[in-house]
Amino acid sequence: MKKSYLTYIVFCLLIICFSCNHKVKISNDLQIEHKVDSILNLMTLEEKIGQMSQIRHFENSSDKNITQKFIGSVIHTQGPKPGEAALDWQNRFTELQNKALSTRLGIPLLIAVDAVHGQNTFDGATIFPHNIGLGATKNEKLVEQIAKITAIESQATGFNWVFSPCVAIPYNEKWGRVYEAFSESTMLTEKLTKASVRGHQGILSDVNTVMATAKHFIGDGATDFGVEGGETSLTNSEINERLLAPYKVAVKEKVGAVMASFNKVSNISMHKHKVLITDTLKVKMNFDGIVVSDWQGYSRFGKNDIIKAGVDMVMAVDGNLDFFQNGLKKGVKDSMVSISRIDDAVKRILRQKFRLGLFEKPFSDVNLVSKIGIKAHRSIAKQAVRESLVLLKNKNNILPLSKEIKKIVVVGEHANNTGLQSGGWTLNWQGTKENYKGATTILEGIKKQVKGNVVYDKDGKQNHFDADVAVIVVGETPYAEFFGDIGHESNQLKLTLTKEHQKYIKIYQEKGIKTVVVLVSGRPLVVTNQINESDAFVAAWLPGSEGDGVAEVLFGDYNFSGKLPHSWPKSVDDFKGKYGPNFWDNSIEPLYPFGYGLKYKTE
Ligand code: BGC
């Protein structure tokens, strides 16, 4: 009797608490809406269009434009850095923020960065495996921790907004952005999208969180033949069934922004696809955040039509600002764009600025600078590297390797170059082939593990044929959007390894040396022959700054746990159709199915 009375009291208290919290939340949201409306009522058309504009931070007139053209946001991506040290970066953005605050209405800036695998634009930040590797970990808790750290290191360098996560679902490995996405599986992408948005945004008004962006809406990874910005020839129901789900999850997690995609759907540029942007994302799915255009979206994809379709903020970069602002102003004056559409866009932008707490705390916290690249962050990155490795073959249980081996030869330039092991969007847009600060190479990791003699054969010409084992690290050189598409006019990229890299494996295998191949790549490659030739084969994706995580698994400190986030193609012929050799074409048997991944024997 007494017990059930007590339970009743506890139950009532819980209900009261819940409804109080609920009320607090409702009243917070309402308060924000009131504040947004009262600012909007004061704004001129120029100020409204200003809020809808995003510019680069280093252009000649950036500072002046912020005060005179009422800019809503600045972006940092490829191009001059705001300084050397993190504090220089913060100082530059504080300077720009102060300019914005000095305007008539004092509306703070959103300050955005392409931090897609850590704060990868800053030399010395923790760089995580690209999303494809995180897909292989299937570990949502880890993805959330990684996003949290990315948020901290982004805030530490002055940003309150990141253009991440990419929630594409790639259908064709020829696409140069396969690695930016978690997986070809919608379900796995949903799970990791939720974790990523949660990790980045946490409690959005905290000083160590950032606004996230789900991108690129929609169909970016599903274009015919994997062409960046190409045509996505899927039906509406296929889009709904296969591609929309991660966005639904992101919206449920209150993601602050969604970026429009370069591709077309049903021959309509996504930037001006009103049915998908407004009717589907904003109305049906209830997304109340910002739809941001992609690079120069206004001039490239339909001018005022993109605003009419529902784009709220425009990357008016590289000389595009006046064209955008004047064009939109004229559109409103000529009644081609309704003022209610402009008001809706500005409300969305102001709403997110309030949710981020920017009106109270517009600047980054200087204390966060000491958190960049710290050991605790790197150890999470290293865990991610270990968990992302997928063991595809392990003949006669050659792995784990013994730490007592007398002589190991480590082969290939990818073994000793942190730029090569990190892929695109690392320090530079298209990546780097140089080592960068604070990172460790795969070779350094192997040297830490082994008591015996470790020799390095960078170019497969050193003939260390007396070695007991050859660890051969081969793969792709860094690339990013457009330049990473296989078949793009700018490159000679192939779905296979280069002749030189194929040779590295052959030379040692033909001499009867046991070969362990580690593949560093942003997508599954056609390596059927090389898998046959080697004793063990590991897909390592693009590990990022903690290359030594690879050795910890090769030498048995940890077992393999990664599982393929994509089905693995058998032959180049598999790519003859529109899509890759995955679930779109059931007649094609993959070499390894989605979810495949071995462990080594532990007894
Ligand atoms: C890419 C986006 C990126 C943007 C800003 C575009 O070219 O498609 O993913 O966020 O540039 O750098």
Side-chain angles (χ1 to χ4, degrees), residues 50-51 70 111 143 156 165 173 194 207 237 284 299 322 364 385 395 427 431 445 455 480 524:
Q51 280 304 301
F70 315 109
I111 305 173
V143 169
E173 273 78 20
K194 182 173 172 178
V207 287
S237 69
K284 257 198 216 138
S299 55
D322 288 344
S364 280
V385 173
K395 194 165 119 194
L427 299 190
V455 291

Side-chain angles (χ1 to χ4, degrees), residues 541-565:
W541 316 111
L542 298 166
S545 56
E546 310 313 300
D548 49 350
V550 175
E552 292 179 347
V553 182
L554 295 182
F555 290 88
D557 288 353
Y558 298 84
N559 205 334
F560 285 88
S561 61
K563 305 287 172 204
L564 285 182

Side-chain angles (χ1 to χ4, degrees), residues 75-78 114 116 163 177 180 215-216 228 259 262 294-295 300 315 425 429 481-482:
I75 174 179
H76 173 69
T77 181
Q78 177 74 18
D114 277 309
V116 303
F163 291 143
R177 309 187 78 161
E180 288 186 57
K215 70 184 189 185
H216 309 79
E228 171 70 351
M259 189 184 291
F262 284 143
D294 205 339
W295 202 254
R300 283 166 82 178
M315 273 187 211
W425 301 103
W429 175 40
E481 48 181 330
F482 298 103

Side-chain angles (χ1 to χ4, degrees), residues 81 117 120 122-125 127 413-442 444 456 458 476-479 544-546:
K81 315 239 168 204
H117 62 145
N120 44 248
F122 185 77
D123 197 358
I127 309 288
E413 60 277 17
H414 282 66
N416 200 26
N417 186 313
T418 54
L420 291 180
Q421 84 199 13
S422 300
W425 301 103
T426 307
L427 299 190
N428 296 304
W429 175 40
Q430 297 288 326
T432 173
K433 294 176 189 162
E434 310 289 324
N435 286 325
Y436 57 89
K437 274 190 206 156
T440 48
T441 67
I442 296 171
E444 282 163 351
Y456 180 43
K458 182 178 172 188
E476 295 185 301
T477 45
Y479 54 77
S545 56
E546 310 313 300

Side-chain angles (χ1 to χ4, degrees), residues 25 55 70 117 191 257 274 339 431 490 522 559 564 594 598:
K25 194 165 172 317
I55 60 169
F70 315 109
H117 62 145
K191 186 165 106 166
K274 186 160 182 288
I339 194 69
S490 67
N559 205 334
L564 285 182
F594 168 84
L598 303 170

